[in-house]
Amino acid sequence: MRRIEIDDEVYAELERNVKGFEQPNDVLRRLLLEKGQSTAEALGMPNAAAPSIPGALTALIEKGLVQAGDTLSHVQVRKGRRFAAIIEADGWIRTDLGRYKEPSPALGKLTGTSIDGWAYWVHDTTKQSLRQLRAKSGGSGRGGH
């Protein structure tokens, strides 16, 4: 086993990405070695040189239910917090913290907790959840974290 030194900022990011009882090495392994994603994509970073993998909202764009540039929002009323995202042309979701292929990681990263992004992201134009829009597109009615 090799040892590396990381600064406090990188360690804090590792802690924000912990799922369950993962150790820092487990987080790095999941983020860097996840199948089907480049390292940059796994970390939620845009990578213009790599071919884009279609995001989860591609089907909604193709059906005309949402458009590139549309905004999503989630409001935590009791905490007085509001979160926003933008739908990109490749079906990915962009937030202040990065780009995400799926809605749940995008919202979870913002809220700091595991949350069903299909249920809780609201498409600002239609005022419907992504789950409601996905049901209209003929997609699966659940899952897709």
Side-chain angles (χ1 to χ4, degrees):
M1 181 179 301
R2 301 197 190 278
R3 303 235 180 253
I4 62 170
E5 288 187 32
I6 57 174
D7 62 38
D8 291 338
E9 183 180 20
V10 171
Y11 190 77
E13 186 63 24
L14 283 174
E15 286 182 325
R16 281 191 288 276
N17 280 280
V18 168
K19 291 184 178 178
F21 295 102
E22 284 182 324
Q23 296 298 311
N25 187 74
D26 301 322
V27 174
L28 287 170
R29 174 171 291 282
R30 177 173 43 81
L31 293 176
L32 296 174
L33 302 177
E34 193 170 89
K35 295 194 184 312
Q37 290 186 335
S38 72
T39 301
E41 290 166 341
L43 294 172
M45 299 165 40
N47 186 350
S52 180
I53 297 170
L57 303 186
T58 301
L60 300 182
I61 293 170
E62 290 172 350
K63 297 278 186 172
L65 296 168
V66 300
Q67 296 179 18
D70 284 357
T71 55
L72 303 172
S73 61
H74 172 67
V75 178
Q76 290 179 322
V77 177
R78 292 191 316 196
K79 292 184 178 182
R81 301 192 314 175
R82 179 179 173 83
F83 304 98
I86 297 174
I87 299 172
E88 297 195 328
D90 58 3
W92 283 57
I93 298 166
R94 182 170 34 93
T95 72
D96 291 341
L97 301 178
R99 278 174 33 97
Y100 301 87
K101 181 179 176 186
E102 297 282 341
S104 296
L107 188 53
K109 184 78 166 182
L110 291 169
T111 62
T113 187
S114 179
I115 187 167
D116 183 351
W118 288 103
Y120 292 104
W121 274 123
V122 173
H123 180 239
D124 290 331
T125 304
T126 63
K127 306 297 185 218
Q128 294 183 321
S129 72
L130 291 179
R131 175 171 288 150
Q132 291 169 315
L133 292 170
R134 184 170 59 176
K136 287 182 178 182
S137 77
S140 169
R142 64 162 293 230
H145 295 279

